[in-house]
């Protein structure tokens, strides 16, 4: 998962709006990425999400979140397909 995506998810993560799947992805990334850990620690409480609310630009926020969710879902689905293909290939090799 790219650092940009992890940083984009900061708002929904801190607001407790992230799905369990997203939370796990973020936690896993933070464990291994010093840069994002610092970002999550140092970003003030008035984050991007709050700014969107202040501007009343809910449509843009919803669009961004939807795009990220779609990307994450696609990434996970792709991983699953690759793993499945590998497992089938392994099974066929053994026959
Ligand atoms: Zn990172």
């Amino acid at each position: 998962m790219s650092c940009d995506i992890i940083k984009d998810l900061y708002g929904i993560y801190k607001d407790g709006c992230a799905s369990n799947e997203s939370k796990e992805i973020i936690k896993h990334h933070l464990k291994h990425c010093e840069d994002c850990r610092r970002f999550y620690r140092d970003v003030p409480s008035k984050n991007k999400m709050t700014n969107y609310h202040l501007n009343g630009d809910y449509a843009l926020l919803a669009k961004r979140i939807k795009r990220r969710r779609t990307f994450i879902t696609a990434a996970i689905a792709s991983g699953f397909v690759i793993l499945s293909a590998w497992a089938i290939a392994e099974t066929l090799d053994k026959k």
Side-chain angles (χ1 to χ4, degrees):
M1 189 62 57
S2 88
C3 293
D4 282 345
I5 294 171
I6 297 297
K7 287 172 184 172
D8 284 346
L9 291 172
Y10 177 86
I12 58 169
Y13 180 78
K14 287 291 176 180
D15 288 352
C17 298
S19 67
N20 287 337
E21 201 172 304
S22 298
K23 283 182 203 165
E24 286 309 311
I25 291 169
I26 293 165
K27 282 181 196 168
H28 179 79
H29 185 92
L30 293 180
K31 254 185 220 171
H32 304 282
C33 183
E34 171 65 32
D35 185 42
C36 289
R37 245 195 331 267
R38 203 177 308 124
F39 178 86
Y40 269 61
R41 193 185 55 217
D42 296 344
V43 167
S45 55
K46 282 195 182 294
N47 54 47
K48 280 183 188 170
M49 180 116 174
T50 308
N51 289 336
Y52 280 119
H53 282 292
L54 289 174
N55 295 336
D57 204 349
Y58 296 107
L60 181 62
L61 174 65
K63 207 170 158 184
R64 259 178 98 92
I65 291 172
K66 196 174 174 186
R67 201 168 46 207
R68 293 299 173 198
R69 285 218 169 132
T70 303
F71 179 82
I72 291 167
T73 306
I76 291 167
S78 305
F80 184 74
V81 168
I82 290 166
L83 269 179
S84 301
W86 176 79
I88 290 167
E90 281 292 303
T91 308
L92 292 177
D93 276 354
K94 283 176 187 163
K95 282 182 183 172

